[in-house]
Amino acid sequence: MKLLIATVLGVFLTQALANDNININNSGNDGGNVNQQVNINNQDNVANINNWNGWNSWDSMCDYAKGFAATRLYNKKICVVTRIKPSFPTMEQLSAIAKSKKVPTNNQLVTYTINQKPIVHIEEYGKHIESLCRGMPAYTAQEMPSSARGYAVCCSSSIITILGINLCF
């Protein structure tokens, strides 16, 4: 009986602590190549998304345990931190999106506006976000109400489509 309980418990713990590593390769209409990699660490409750697209590359860290997500935008040379809200995909949704390779469409994107005041103490957002944003200016971003989304100058909708995010400056 103890062996059966240990086996069942081991199966459930293995699934709960499992990691997902998903690679997505896309060829653009102009013949360019975009490569995305999604790494989900269920034990630490974090997800790391890398998007390699030349100068338009970015990296995101979603720290679900701390309740914050950050994106390092290489072409802007900044890091943007936001709170994970209910509109933000869960780790399970992110895994499903990455596995299906179907990113949200433009009308499914949630728009965030970037505050102009830089973050002074990035370490307050946790060690994962601190390591992503260390050495570059970091700013917070707030979700925009849907009624105000048409008034901001936004980055290309392809910036962080796997998370369903559109950043506005």
Side-chain angles (χ1 to χ4, degrees), residues 1-14:
M1 184 64 174
K2 288 181 183 179
L3 180 61
L4 177 62
I5 292 172
T7 303
V8 171
L9 186 59
V11 168
F12 286 118
L13 280 177
T14 301

Side-chain angles (χ1 to χ4, degrees), residues 37-69:
Q37 184 176 29
V38 179
N39 298 301
I40 297 174
N41 181 327
N42 290 314
Q43 184 175 358
D44 290 340
N45 211 17
V46 296
N48 186 33
I49 303 108
N50 306 102
N51 182 78
W52 295 284
N53 185 15
W55 189 237
N56 293 317
S57 296
W58 52 265
D59 294 321
S60 284
M61 171 59 67
C62 304
D63 189 338
Y64 290 91
K66 291 282 188 185
F68 292 102

Side-chain angles (χ1 to χ4, degrees), residues 44-124:
D44 290 340
N45 211 17
V46 296
N48 186 33
I49 303 108
N50 306 102
N51 182 78
W52 295 284
N53 185 15
W55 189 237
N56 293 317
S57 296
W58 52 265
D59 294 321
S60 284
M61 171 59 67
C62 304
D63 189 338
Y64 290 91
K66 291 282 188 185
F68 292 102
T71 299
R72 185 175 179 148
L73 301 167
Y74 290 97
N75 63 346
K76 300 285 184 187
K77 298 181 182 175
I78 64 169
C79 202
V80 180
V81 180
T82 189
R83 221 175 247 299
I84 294 176
K85 293 189 172 190
S87 58
F88 205 87
T90 65
M91 282 185 30
E92 293 80 17
Q93 291 169 329
L94 179 58
S95 179
I97 291 167
K99 287 177 183 175
S100 71
K101 300 180 181 178
K102 292 182 182 176
V103 296
T105 61
N106 282 344
N107 61 353
Q108 295 171 317
L109 293 175
V110 177
T111 302
Y112 289 82
T113 184
I114 299 172
N115 298 316
Q116 299 302 310
K117 184 179 174 186
I119 296 171
V120 177
H121 299 286
I122 194 67
E123 65 275 2
E124 293 175 0

